[in-house]
Amino acid sequence: MHRGSVGFLMNGYGPNGLNERLARSVPVRIHPLEMQTRDKAGREHTALAINEVSLLRETRQMAKLRISVDDVVRLDELMADGVLVATPVGSTAYNLSAHGPIIPLGADVLALTPISAFRPRRWRGALLPHAARVRFDVLEAEKRPMSAVADYTEVRDVVAVSVRETREVSLTMLFDPEHNLEERVLKEQFQS
């Protein structure tokens, strides 16, 4: 049983009455992101992420990335500390800390959020259809090395990263009825 440790979406844990709580729980089905990477050595890696896939600079040098969505270049060059793609579940995690939007769980969209963007200065990210395929090409990979992270799986020195939601994998999360997930996401949007 994975209970999480930080996220506000998680239920509190208590061993007393656990079987009864499980019987009353409300299931929510989610689909993770699939990250496919190629590193400088030409090796390919695949990992799944429930929350987000993030690309992060490995050194003091700012990252330079080209971003394509469904095989169309949408941003020729992003200069930033990194960028991430978040699921609705992950929209309240790292995405929120990077000033990305909170996404209601049934919205069928993904958040594409820059991390400390320098250029273009006013680009704040995008909301994408859940079926979108996002590709990141690392520009100047030798001078500006980057890591790609799918939740807890890190691949260093990447040169290309593709991200998509995978409907082939389905996960079920259980929530206490008194901790209605949709209500918690809605309330989080009005926190002051």
Side-chain angles (χ1 to χ4, degrees):
M1 176 186 298
H2 179 67
R3 298 178 286 134
S5 60
V6 178
F8 88 101
L9 295 178
M10 298 294 110
N11 294 308
Y13 176 75
N16 297 336
L18 182 59
N19 289 334
E20 294 79 14
R21 283 178 64 199
L22 288 172
R24 293 183 308 118
S25 66
V26 177
V28 174
R29 294 184 63 93
I30 62 169
H31 300 282
L33 297 173
E34 180 182 65
M35 173 184 80
Q36 295 182 327
T37 68
R38 191 175 75 253
D39 65 22
K40 288 180 191 176
R43 293 182 300 256
E44 299 199 2
H45 309 268
T46 302
L48 297 177
I50 294 169
N51 289 322
E52 77 274 324
V53 170
S54 53
L55 279 75
L56 306 164
R57 66 186 174 115
E58 292 179 7
T59 67
R60 69 192 181 287
Q61 290 287 328
M62 187 175 303
K64 279 190 179 181
L65 297 163
R66 179 176 32 254
I67 301 174
S68 301
V69 178
D70 294 330
D71 300 320
V72 176
V73 174
R74 297 294 179 179
L75 203 53
D76 283 317
E77 184 178 274
L78 170 66
M79 294 179 66
D81 284 349
V83 65
L84 62 87
V85 178
T87 65
V89 168
S91 72
T92 59
Y94 191 9
N95 178 68
L96 182 60
S97 296
H99 305 288
I102 295 174
I103 304 171
L105 293 183
D108 280 339
V109 296
L110 302 172
L112 175 60
T113 304
I115 302 167
S116 299
F118 181 68
R119 281 202 184 104
R121 290 204 186 275
R122 300 203 194 324
W123 189 65
R124 298 290 176 243
L127 290 174
L128 305 174
H130 74 93
R133 294 178 330 266
V134 183
R135 179 181 166 99
F136 303 100
D137 291 297
V138 178
L139 308 175
E140 301 179 23
E142 289 299 323
K143 180 180 179 184
R144 303 168 188 276
M146 296 200 72
S147 293
V149 182
D151 283 351
Y152 55 85
T153 302
E154 180 180 17
V155 180
R156 296 186 63 81
D157 300 322
V158 296
V159 295
V161 178
S162 295
V163 180
R164 71 175 185 95
E165 181 185 78
T166 176
R167 291 283 166 149
E168 293 85 27
V169 178
S170 181
L171 305 169
T172 302
M173 299 173 70
L174 301 177
F175 292 91
D176 291 326
E178 61 273 13
H179 289 100
N180 178 296
L181 189 58
E182 295 292 339
E183 177 63 22
R184 285 158 62 182
V185 168
L186 188 60
K187 283 173 70 174
E188 185 69 15
Q189 294 180 75
F190 291 93
Q191 294 293 324
S192 53

